[in-house]
Amino acid sequence: MLRNYLKVALRSLRKQKAYSFINVFGLALGLSCCILILLFVEDELSYDRYHENAEQIYRLRVERFSAGGEAEYTSTASAPMMPAALNDLPQVQAATRIDERTYLVRKDDLAFYEEHFFFVDSSFFDVFSIDVLRGDSDQFLKAPYSLVLTESAAQRYFGNADPIGQSLDVDGRSMGITGIVADPPRQTHFTFSMLGSFATLESESGPSSNWNWWNLSTHTYFRFGAGTDIDESQEMLREMPARYIGQQEQVSGYRQFLYLQPVVDIHLTSNYRYELGANSQRAYVLVFAAVALFILIIACVNFMNLSTARSAERAKEIGMRKVSGARLNQLVTQFLGESVVITLLALVGAMILIQLLLPLFNDLAFKELSLNYIERWPLVLLMLGGAILVGILTGLYPAFALSAFRPVDVLKGTVSPGSASSWLRQGLVVFQFTISVVLIIGAVIAQRQLSFMRSADMGFDKERILVINGRNSDVVSNQTEAFKASLEEIPGVRSTAVTSTTPGRTPFTNVAARERGMTEEGQTFYWMAVDHDFIETYDVEVLAGRGFQREMGSDDSLAFVLNESAYKALGWANAEQPIGEELTRQFGDTRNIIGVVQDFNFQSLQFSVDPLVLFINPPWYNLTSVKIEAGAIQEAIRDIETVWRAYAPERPFEYFFLDEDFDQQYRSEIRISSLLNVFTFLAIIIACLGLFALASFVTERRQKEIGVRKVLGASTGEIVRMLSLSFTRLVLIAAVIATPLAWWGAGRWLDGFANRINLGIDIFLLAVALSMVIALVTVAWQSVRAALANPAVSLRSE
């Protein structure tokens, strides 16, 4: 019986090759898109779950409020918080801190800037599950100046030699290597190349329990015991700063509150200051999960539409089977079997498409996904089960609709099975294009918002600025003027500036107040150390007063320049009022305000411009910005490297372009826009395949009507318009339904941006027009062919 069902199914597929291809290819494309997106979603949800006790690991985050009411939300805590928490919370089984640094590391003639150098406590391996390749993890990081390398770092400095017992120069420190560990998995919210013992910092600065409670410089993690009441621990932690520092909060101008954050939630829910890496958003994962479902639904709708549309051709077959004694359950099983055969063929095609599309998908998603069907056989079984389920669900209605025909009516020709479900087919077409129009609108809005952020006026000029990484280098702190003078002699170099950081990289934060006593007027500001040429090099407009000037010697130690947000936060009404007034930096000095510059976006356009203070402070200098003339970039880079080698022959020449570095902040937006564009295109392709096949079917059914109309004088254009309007009307209904849905969803997404585009009506009109054009193009060929056909052919049987 099953063999007979299979033979009939394959015979039916061969008989209608075009429709079979559209069904199989459409489903294969839908399944491959769905599986690719689900691989992406699985990867996003797997971050930090590789740790043995992942559900018991929490990160300490801080909400800090200045006396002026300004809030600062950070992923970092102060170093003494961990020993204090261990003292107060017996539920904590292990704890560790991470102090991230960037250091120049040397071995003989090799030198590299290690941007992910972590100082950690010796309990680091009690909290996190990191594979140990060599050495004893219990003894790794207990002694000062001990060092653990990742496998890739060990290869970089030592090749295939055994590094255990050898040493590296880490920013002037000789640190002995005690262990080698595997590189951190990619699905983690932090990555590192080297681990130095936290005891090193304590040996240089004293016990961390005595360190400053307001210096939020370390990431702190706790591993709780199974069954711990986290809410109870949270309540004890929240007020811990007040218990340990008491009235000192009033002196500092801050109040601090501590919160526990599950480590498995960090990647998708955490976007606080000083994150160890770029995180994503849960909303994006939900969006793509919905897109996967929508694309699969569109593909399934195609199958249902074509199956019900072709029912007329199988009506006599069903009538004959019933007359021959076939029961209802046998007919239902037959048609469900055909549906499952189609989905299984589509699954085979999808598996081939996945392997072809995966490299491109990885490039767009910034991932390194792979799918080995042998190694991941449970996933293959899941895909197989899913395909069978899809086949059954999509085949249910056609199976029952076809098997319900009355054989007497069918064999007499008094029923037209195909037309009985036309309302359903039309409804499914509307549903398909509603999803497609929503995706089109979403893709257009995401692309416009991304283009807006990348091309908007930031308040400064970020084009053709090359930034040299001279972190902790004497070149940019002790030889600044001579180094800059040599750079400015290079043809094509317009100007230079040295800074502590650059726009796009978060500056240091601290409290500032208009009075020396740090009274309740204190506000949390960002602070950026710059030199005299920063304002000119970055083309920042001075609104009042002046910028820093070399001839004014007092500017080096007695001057501040504020942005607009800073003077407004301190209560001044206009840019002229602060000029000549004093400003005090917490734990720092008091200087005069000499100028106010316009607000410029030193952070992503996702955020509003915060208060910023510029000041001269050579010990903070890390980076050298070089403004290059257009057309002279490659030659200038070679000459800049030559100058660098002359001043710092022992240091590597590393640089980046500011505009490219700044755009890294939009990594998530670039990814979602690119993926949404691709999957919107594929969803439209799948929908159009179904529309094309349906149009072909309808024109076949209406051949005699078209012949009669032509005989009675209807023109080709009138017939094309008649056939096309029947489908474009459905697409127009879909657009009317999709527009408010897309407007609501896009508005919610754009609310997350401080600087955003306006949702003008042109976006929605463009999407509607595009969907109409797509529908017209899809059905045009079939309509024109039917209109040009010789009416004698279709009427000769009459």
Side-chain angles (χ1 to χ4, degrees):
M1 183 69 72
L2 291 176
R3 182 181 177 185
N4 180 60
Y5 286 165
L6 182 61
K7 287 173 64 176
V8 172
L10 294 175
R11 187 182 303 131
S12 176
L13 290 175
R14 286 197 301 270
K15 184 178 179 182
Q16 299 291 337
K17 294 183 178 62
Y19 292 98
S20 299
F21 172 78
I22 290 175
N23 256 340
V24 173
F25 180 72
L27 269 176
L29 195 56
L31 286 170
S32 61
C33 291
C34 183
I35 293 169
L36 283 173
I37 295 176
L38 291 180
L39 287 175
F40 170 85
V41 171
E42 177 194 44
D43 185 79
E44 289 287 288
L45 294 176
S46 67
Y47 270 66
D48 295 303
R49 295 187 181 275
Y50 64 91
H51 301 297
E52 184 178 347
N53 301 285
E55 299 295 336
Q56 281 78 52
I57 302 174
Y58 288 78
R59 182 176 71 179
L60 193 64
R61 69 173 184 86
V62 176
E63 291 184 8
R64 185 165 68 172
F65 296 85
S66 67
E70 293 294 315
E72 181 181 12
Y73 305 98
T74 74
S75 62
T76 52
S78 62
M81 288 182 184
M82 189 192 81
L86 287 173
N87 184 63
D88 287 3
L89 300 177
Q91 305 94 324
V92 175
Q93 294 188 340
T96 189
R97 292 163 293 190
I98 296 176
D99 189 319
E100 185 184 32
R101 306 288 179 98
T102 297
Y103 281 141
L104 180 67
V105 178
R106 303 172 179 280
K107 181 187 181 295
D108 302 329
D109 295 333
L110 293 175
F112 299 97
Y113 283 109
E114 299 292 345
E115 294 191 351
H116 301 290
F117 186 102
F118 288 178
F119 282 111
V120 300
D121 293 280
S122 58
S123 52
F124 180 83
F125 296 95
D126 296 328
V127 176
F128 300 114
S129 301
I130 307 294
D131 292 335
V132 176
L133 304 181
R134 295 184 187 178
D136 181 2
S137 61
D138 291 334
Q139 304 298 322
F140 269 170
L141 298 167
K142 290 188 175 180
Y145 302 102
S146 55
L147 187 65
V148 171
L149 306 184
T150 60
E151 186 176 18
S152 58
Q155 181 69 29
R156 186 161 59 248
Y157 289 95
F158 297 95
N160 295 323
D162 185 1
I164 302 294
Q166 300 193 54
S167 63
L168 290 174
D169 181 287
V170 179
D171 196 44
R173 306 177 180 90
S174 178
M175 302 189 70
I177 299 167
T178 59
I180 306 296
V181 298
D183 292 313
R186 187 177 48 80
Q187 296 92 348
T188 181
H189 75 282
F190 64 72
T191 186
F192 60 88
S193 58
M194 299 183 178
L195 301 174
S197 60
F198 204 91
T200 304
L201 299 180
E202 292 184 307
S203 69
E204 296 173 351
S205 304
S208 58
S209 57
N210 297 329
W211 292 7
N212 189 339
W213 273 76
W214 298 279
N215 181 15
L216 307 182
S217 60
T218 65
H219 293 79
T220 303
Y221 298 83
F222 301 122
R223 178 170 62 80
F224 290 89
T228 298
D229 186 344
I230 296 299
D231 291 336
E232 180 183 347
S233 301
Q234 171 66 80
E235 195 60 34
M236 296 177 67
L237 272 172
R238 187 174 184 273
E239 300 288 347
M240 193 176 74
R243 293 198 298 273
Y244 280 86
I245 57 180
Q247 297 302 313
Q248 293 183 42
E249 287 189 332
Q250 298 180 9
V251 178
S252 70
Y254 283 128
R255 288 201 70 200
Q256 299 183 85
F257 300 95
L258 310 183
Y259 296 90
L260 292 170
Q261 182 180 21
V263 73
V264 294
D265 290 348
I266 290 175
H267 178 65
L268 294 179
T269 64
S270 188
N271 194 21
Y272 302 110
R273 291 175 180 170
Y274 317 121
E275 293 284 354
L276 286 171
N279 293 325
S280 185
Q281 297 183 35
R282 190 180 299 278
Y284 292 164
V285 174
L286 295 176
V287 164
F288 282 114
V291 169
L293 179 62
F294 288 158
I295 289 178
L296 185 59
I297 289 174
I298 290 174
C300 293
V301 165
N302 275 355
F303 176 80
M304 293 177 63
N305 247 343
L306 295 180
S307 295
T308 55
R310 305 304 299 180
S311 60
E313 296 187 358
R314 305 194 66 179
K316 290 185 178 180
E317 173 196 341
I318 297 164
M320 290 301 297
R321 284 178 176 271
K322 284 196 169 185
V323 168
S324 300
R327 294 189 298 274
L328 177 65
N329 65 319
Q330 291 175 318
L331 291 172
V332 170
T333 302
Q334 168 68 45
F335 292 118
L336 284 180
E338 291 182 16
S339 176
V340 170
V341 167
I342 291 175
T343 55
L344 290 177
L345 290 174
L347 178 61
V348 173
M351 295 171 74
I352 296 172
L353 282 175
I354 289 170
Q355 296 304 318
L356 295 175
L357 296 175
L358 199 53
L360 174 62
F361 182 78
N362 281 331
D363 289 341
L364 293 174
F366 308 135
K367 294 286 187 181
E368 297 176 9
L369 304 176
S370 62
L371 183 55
N372 186 310
Y373 295 121
I374 297 176
E375 292 179 359
R376 301 196 64 180
W377 60 267
L379 178 61
V380 174
L381 291 179
L382 182 63
M383 291 163 56
L384 181 63
I388 293 174
L389 180 62
V390 167
I392 292 173
L393 292 178
T394 55
L396 277 176
Y397 177 80
F400 280 101
L402 292 172
S403 58
F405 296 156
R406 294 180 59 192
V408 174
D409 295 333
V410 170
L411 295 176
K412 284 183 177 181
T414 58
V415 65
S416 177
S419 60
S421 54
S422 61
W423 64 269
L424 175 63
R425 293 198 302 273
Q426 292 178 0
L428 292 175
V429 169
V430 170
F431 180 75
Q432 277 186 311
F433 273 88
T434 297
I435 294 174
S436 298
V437 173
V438 168
L439 291 176
I440 291 172
I441 294 173
V444 171
I445 290 174
Q447 186 60 46
R448 285 201 179 184
Q449 176 65 19
L450 178 60
S451 298
F452 168 74
M453 292 192 298
R454 299 177 77 174
S455 61
D457 182 9
M458 309 293 295
F460 69 96
D461 185 5
K462 59 184 174 71
E463 302 300 322
R464 300 187 311 282
I465 292 182
L466 179 147
V467 182
I468 305 171
N469 185 0
R471 194 175 297 273
N472 303 316
S473 169
D474 291 341
V475 175
V476 293
S477 58
N478 298 332
Q479 304 179 66
T480 302
E481 294 304 321
F483 177 56
K484 289 181 58 180
S486 298
L487 290 175
E488 290 171 1
E489 291 177 358
I490 297 173
V493 172
R494 183 194 301 177
S495 61
T496 61
V498 292
T499 58
S500 58
T501 187
T502 60
R505 301 189 173 193
T506 306
F508 174 71
T509 57
N510 201 344
V511 165
R514 289 171 59 175
E515 298 181 9
R516 294 175 184 270
M518 304 305 292
T519 66
E520 291 188 359
E521 296 181 41
Q523 302 283 333
T524 301
F525 284 7
Y526 285 96
W527 300 78
M528 183 186 294
V530 302
D531 72 348
H532 306 84
D533 301 313
F534 171 81
I535 293 174
E536 177 188 356
T537 300
Y538 280 80
D539 197 20
V540 179
E541 182 182 353
V542 178
L543 301 179
R546 61 178 177 83
F548 301 111
Q549 298 176 359
R550 284 184 174 80
E551 54 270 22
M552 301 294 293
S554 59
D555 285 3
D556 293 358
S557 58
L558 298 174
F560 287 138
V561 172
L562 310 183
N563 70 350
E564 294 175 78
S565 296
Y567 85 73
K568 291 175 183 177
L570 288 168
W572 282 297
N574 58 65
E576 299 291 341
Q577 287 183 342
I579 306 302
E581 299 291 337
E582 289 186 340
L583 187 71
T584 298
R585 178 165 58 100
Q586 184 187 32
F587 308 123
D589 49 8
T590 298
R591 302 189 184 190
N592 292 321
I593 300 168
I594 63 169
V596 173
V597 298
Q598 71 172 5
D599 277 344
F600 62 92
N601 291 92
F602 57 92
Q603 299 181 94
S604 163
L605 282 172
Q606 288 178 289
F607 309 105
S608 57
V609 180
D610 288 314
L612 175 69
V613 181
L614 306 177
F615 67 117
I616 293 176
N617 188 22
W620 282 22
Y621 292 160
N622 285 315
L623 305 170
T624 304
S625 301
V626 184
K627 184 73 172 180
I628 303 174
E629 298 284 357
I633 294 178
Q634 294 304 319
E635 296 83 357
I637 292 175
R638 288 195 296 268
D639 294 338
I640 291 169
E641 182 175 7
T642 300
V643 171
W644 176 263
R645 299 293 183 197
Y647 278 85
E650 76 288 357
R651 289 181 175 266
F653 176 65
E654 294 185 359
Y655 67 91
F656 58 86
F657 281 96
L658 184 67
D659 56 349
E660 296 175 359
D661 188 69
F662 203 92
D663 281 351
Q664 288 299 309
Q665 298 179 102
Y666 307 132
R667 183 182 177 92
S668 291
E669 286 70 32
I670 292 171
R671 177 172 65 179
I672 192 173
S673 178
S674 299
L675 290 176
L676 199 55
N677 288 340
V678 170
F679 287 115
T680 297
F681 175 74
L682 294 176
I684 292 171
I685 291 295
I686 296 171
C688 288
L689 282 174
L691 189 61
F692 177 83
L694 202 57
S696 176
F697 166 75
V698 170
T699 54
E700 281 184 31
R701 294 291 307 278
R702 300 181 68 177
Q703 278 184 350
K704 288 185 172 60
E705 175 192 346
I706 294 168
V708 171
R709 288 179 179 273
K710 292 196 72 173
V711 169
L712 295 177
S715 67
T716 300
E718 289 173 337
I719 293 174
V720 169
R721 184 166 60 253
M722 176 194 70
L723 293 174
S724 300
L725 285 178
S726 63
F727 290 101
T728 54
R729 176 174 55 86
L730 300 178
V731 176
L732 186 60
I733 294 172
V736 171
I737 298 172
T739 297
L741 295 175
W743 178 83
W744 176 82
R748 292 283 301 273
W749 179 63
L750 289 172
D751 285 342
F753 297 87
N755 299 274
R756 47 169 284 183
I757 60 171
N758 294 319
L759 287 177
I761 192 173
D762 61 308
I763 295 175
F764 300 96
L765 291 177
L766 173 64
V768 172
L770 184 60
S771 60
M772 294 292 288
V773 169
I774 290 170
L776 283 171
V777 170
T778 302
V779 302
W781 185 77
Q782 293 287 1
S783 300
V784 171
R785 191 184 69 164
L788 293 175
N790 186 350
V793 175
S794 59
L795 297 176
R796 64 186 174 183
S797 63
E798 297 298 324

